[in-house]
Amino acid sequence: MPAAEDDPFQDLLGARTLGQCGTEGVALHAALRHAVVGGKRFRPWLVGLTHDSCAGTRPEAVAAVGAGVELLHTAFVVHDDVIDGDRTRRGRPSVPEGFRVAALGRDVPDERAELYGLAGAVLTGDLALAAAVRAVATAPVPPAVTHRLLDLVDQALAVTAAGELADVRLATHPGHPTLADVLSMEERKTAVYSFALPMQLGAVLADAPDEVVHALGEVGRHLGLAFQLQDDLLGVFGDSASTGKSTVNDLREGKCTALITHARSTAGWLEIEPHWGAVDLDDARAALVRDALERCGSRGFVEDLVTDYVATATDAGAAVGLPAALLSDLAGLCTVPVRGAA
Amino acid sequence: MPAAEDDPFQDLLGARTLGQCGTEGVALHAALRHAVVGGKRFRPWLVGLTHDSCAGTRPEAVAAVGAGVELLHTAFVVHDDVIDGDRTRRGRPSVPEGFRVAALGRDVPDERAELYGLAGAVLTGDLALAAAVRAVATAPVPPAVTHRLLDLVDQALAVTAAGELADVRLATHPGHPTLADVLSMEERKTAVYSFALPMQLGAVLADAPDEVVHALGEVGRHLGLAFQLQDDLLGVFGDSASTGKSTVNDLREGKCTALITHARSTAGWLEIEPHWGAVDLDDARAALVRDALERCGSRGFVEDLVTDYVATATDAGAAVGLPAALLSDLAGLCTVPVRGAA
């Protein structure tokens, strides 16, 4: 993956116009930059990887569409932080938090500052979303290709919005979600726009036939789910030193992952329940939970799911003749080793 | 203006895709329809009026771009209701309120239902915004025209977002805004995307030269301000029977209009202040406030502002040779008679 750079996005962030829109315009532009900087540029990389694997010859369009999917991701992340009320993102203040703190600095009362944070982040996400659609719509390709690209973006937007809303419903609903609920939500909320969409856009830019684009949708959904499940495992069993990710936070926050949903269906849940979502969960109690998650078979179950999803993805790709090197690169994304033996 | 119809928007609302996205997809599509139906289609009408006045010959592109500006308006309205926490819009439940009530119907606790309402409305606005940009980007015009259209949309988005955030800042800030603050905010929040943008898009679709498009920006900003100020007057001095708009609500809610901001700078404010923003304000007390707003000169001041802005708009249009009939039609929008003599 290339190093993170934000220069390709400069033109897309409306610096010139926002700079002429007073204090708020300047604040919105700074928030957009803050939100775009520091991402791993994973989605643009997927666009390019797939385009190149399909023998595409449109590097300029790849850059434009890659910027579009990254901005789409930015918009989702910023609006997700509004919806979840998250105060941090990638170890830095989230966009709503940035606006909230700025208002507090102007002696705005707490509740009003919260509202200013919400407004600033809704609007920042809106600007990122509009820039994303524009970037895809104006990529230098023939009109028929533009329409194929935009249809894919539209579909991904609809699926992602429905998945995001399903996530809120599962979290707010009385009663516990089933494993099927959780997997379906994860697929729609993240896998489609983060994996299926960039790969399909890359293939369309390479003028790949419909059946290849369709197969890449399957590949992306399964890979995205595998990646998400692997991420859930890393959030509990990972090596913090190499992932930079706490292995206590998910448990302390009571994050409702597939791992937890499976455990809830086993006798081991009686051991786990007192600790899951405990705000004072410490390392020693987290270790007890990890041990219980292994003994009740939930860790193994989710590891097997990852393996199955990767295999399904690889088979779907091979069936339409996708290059073995591409499928191997993609599968590699989902096999980050976790700590200790299963 | 044409009768309100939502059929031209059917294809743009992602019915097919959203319908395949489970309960949440169906709910999001219903919310989009709810938000789009019932608008006056004022902005698409302005696109067509300006296009025709500039001797344009692209009716299909006018329809596409008109749908785009209406969807842009939908997105702003829905996100504005999120930011302001408004429970009603055009006399019906707002989009966040619709999602909130649906969650309450599923026995979700109050606070959680509020969150579901916020999430549903953020996502509905996102879908409207993406559809808006796509509609403009794919209007059947040559690429150079597409770029002119999208530049205008980008600029209007930036200005509107900054204006919306300025509105929140003025409302949340300690201390009272100045008249200049209020007018600048109104111009950016509403006048640009509701008046300047549709007129400029219509002119670009007619291949009008840059100086005409630029002048229409001036015309639109001034007309939009005049329209907003007229609307403020109607909200206090209007004839409810003909406008369908209460003449008590704005006063009861303590809406910080230019009318009120002016009154605050006069000796008459001592009479008005005890009633302004009083939740129990009745018709008799509202009549006292109206009387005071006339005696302190605020009504006359705002009426003069309307006249001035309309004159400035008309002059700017005439200077670049815009047809007198167009300017007269536009000026007519801002001269709805208010009740009684000034």
Side-chain angles (χ1 to χ4, degrees):
Chain A
M1 249 174 280
E5 287 178 2
D6 63 309
D7 291 338
F9 295 88
Q10 265 309 85
D11 288 350
L12 297 168
L13 299 183
R16 196 153 151 265
T17 309
L18 284 168
Q20 293 166 351
C21 294
T23 316
E24 286 75 26
V26 172
L28 286 166
H29 182 247
L32 266 175
R33 278 187 57 88
H34 174 88
V36 167
V37 168
K40 293 190 295 283
R41 305 284 187 262
F42 166 69
R43 294 159 191 81
W45 173 80
L46 270 184
V47 175
L49 179 72
T50 316
H51 167 267
D52 296 350
S53 298
C54 295
T57 56
R58 296 196 177 106
E60 285 180 29
V62 166
V65 170
V69 290
E70 188 70 11
L71 284 166
L72 189 65
H73 172 56
T74 301
F76 282 134
V77 160
V78 172
H79 281 179
D80 189 55
D81 285 342
V82 168
I83 290 168
D84 290 349
D86 286 329
R87 297 228 190 269
T88 59
R89 167 72 65 171
R90 295 170 185 160
R92 301 183 305 157
S94 66
V95 170
E97 179 67 0
F99 281 103
R100 189 182 77 89
V101 168
L104 289 174
R106 294 193 305 265
D107 291 333
V108 173
D110 281 359
E111 198 182 319
R112 293 298 195 155
E114 194 79 46
L115 177 63
Y116 188 78
L118 178 135
V122 166
L123 296 162
T124 301
D126 286 351
L127 294 173
L129 178 59
V133 178
R134 177 177 182 163
V136 175
T138 57
V141 294
V145 177
T146 301
H147 280 272
R148 283 180 91 189
L149 296 173
L150 288 173
D151 281 346
L152 289 169
V153 170
D154 269 5
Q155 286 161 23
L157 265 170
V159 170
T160 310
E164 175 91 28
L165 192 56
D167 190 20
V168 176
R169 183 171 55 79
L170 293 181
T172 59
H173 231 59
H176 301 301
T178 65
L179 186 65
D181 285 337
V182 172
L183 293 175
S184 159
M185 179 277 288
E186 293 286 10
E187 178 182 323
R188 293 192 278 157
K189 181 180 171 183
T190 309
V192 168
Y193 93 86
S194 296
F195 284 78
L197 177 65
M199 291 165 60
Q200 291 181 295
L201 294 175
V204 165
L205 288 174
D207 294 322
D210 280 341
E211 63 266 26
V212 169
V213 176
H214 180 78
L216 281 168
E218 290 299 301
V219 173
R221 274 192 290 280
H222 288 100
L223 270 186
L225 261 177
F227 189 84
Q228 186 59 50
L229 292 172
Q230 184 72 20
D231 199 53
D232 292 345
L233 287 171
L234 290 174
V236 175
F237 298 103
D239 176 9
S240 303
S242 70
T243 64
K245 186 177 163 125
S246 159
T247 54
V248 177
N249 280 356
D250 281 3
L251 296 172
R252 192 184 283 146
E253 290 171 10
K255 193 171 168 192
C256 193
T257 61
L259 186 70
I260 292 297
T261 304
H262 179 273
R264 197 182 269 125
S265 70
T266 71
W269 185 245
L270 287 175
E271 268 183 274
I272 297 166
E273 190 173 24
H275 307 294
W276 183 69
V279 289
D280 57 347
L281 187 83
D282 57 18
D283 285 338
R285 289 172 69 190
L288 290 177
V289 175
R290 273 184 218 113
D291 189 52
L293 284 168
E294 294 196 3
R295 277 185 288 106
C296 72
S298 296
R299 177 178 181 172
F301 175 81
V302 174
E303 287 177 342
D304 288 348
L305 269 184
V306 172
T307 307
D308 287 351
Y309 281 129
V310 171
T312 309
T314 308
D315 290 350
V320 291
L322 288 178
L326 170 65
L327 295 172
S328 163
D329 279 355
L330 295 172
L333 294 171
C334 304
T335 49
V336 184
V338 296
R339 183 172 58 176
Chain B
M1 251 174 281
E5 288 178 2
D6 62 311
D7 290 340
F9 294 89
Q10 264 311 83
D11 288 350
L12 298 167
L13 300 182
R16 194 151 152 269
T17 309
L18 285 168
Q20 295 166 349
C21 295
T23 316
E24 286 74 26
V26 172
L28 286 166
H29 182 247
L32 267 174
R33 277 187 58 87
H34 174 88
V36 167
V37 168
K40 293 191 296 283
R41 305 283 188 263
F42 167 69
R43 293 159 190 83
W45 174 79
L46 270 184
V47 175
L49 179 72
T50 316
H51 167 267
D52 296 349
S53 298
C54 294
T57 55
R58 295 195 178 107
E60 285 179 29
V62 166
V65 171
V69 291
E70 187 71 12
L71 284 166
L72 190 63
H73 172 56
T74 301
F76 283 134
V77 160
V78 172
H79 282 178
D80 190 54
D81 285 342
V82 168
I83 291 168
D84 290 350
D86 286 329
R87 298 227 189 268
T88 60
R89 168 69 66 169
R90 296 171 185 159
R92 301 184 304 159
S94 66
V95 170
E97 179 67 0
F99 281 102
R100 190 182 76 89
V101 168
L104 289 174
R106 294 193 304 264
D107 291 332
V108 174
D110 281 0
E111 197 182 319
R112 293 298 195 156
E114 194 79 47
L115 176 64
Y116 188 78
L118 177 134
V122 166
L123 295 164
T124 301
D126 286 351
L127 293 173
L129 178 58
V133 178
R134 176 177 184 163
V136 175
T138 57
V141 294
V145 178
T146 301
H147 280 272
R148 284 181 88 190
L149 297 173
L150 288 173
D151 281 346
L152 289 168
V153 170
D154 269 5
Q155 285 160 25
L157 265 170
V159 171
T160 309
E164 175 91 28
L165 192 57
D167 190 19
V168 176
R169 184 171 55 80
L170 293 181
T172 59
H173 230 60
H176 300 301
T178 66
L179 186 64
D181 285 338
V182 172
L183 293 174
S184 159
M185 179 277 288
E186 293 285 10
E187 178 181 322
R188 293 192 277 157
K189 180 180 171 182
T190 309
V192 169
Y193 93 84
S194 296
F195 285 78
L197 177 65
M199 292 165 60
Q200 292 182 295
L201 294 175
V204 165
L205 288 174
D207 295 321
D210 281 342
E211 62 267 25
V212 169
V213 177
H214 181 78
L216 281 168
E218 290 298 301
V219 174
R221 274 191 291 279
H222 287 100
L223 271 186
L225 260 178
F227 189 85
Q228 186 59 50
L229 292 171
Q230 184 71 20
D231 199 55
D232 291 345
L233 288 170
L234 290 173
V236 175
F237 299 103
D239 176 9
S240 303
S242 70
T243 64
K245 185 176 162 124
S246 160
T247 55
V248 177
N249 279 356
D250 281 3
L251 295 172
R252 192 183 283 146
E253 289 172 10
K255 194 172 168 191
C256 192
T257 61
L259 186 72
I260 292 298
T261 304
H262 180 271
R264 197 182 270 124
S265 70
T266 71
W269 184 245
L270 287 175
E271 269 182 274
I272 297 165
E273 191 173 23
H275 307 294
W276 183 69
V279 289
D280 58 348
L281 187 83
D282 58 18
D283 284 338
R285 289 171 72 189
L288 289 177
V289 174
R290 273 183 217 113
D291 189 52
L293 284 168
E294 293 197 3
R295 279 185 286 107
C296 73
S298 297
R299 177 178 180 171
F301 175 81
V302 175
E303 288 176 343
D304 288 348
L305 269 184
V306 172
T307 307
D308 288 352
Y309 281 129
V310 170
T312 309
T314 308
D315 290 349
V320 290
L322 289 177
L326 170 65
L327 295 171
S328 163
D329 280 354
L330 294 173
L333 295 172
C334 304
T335 50
V336 183
V338 294
R339 184 172 56 177

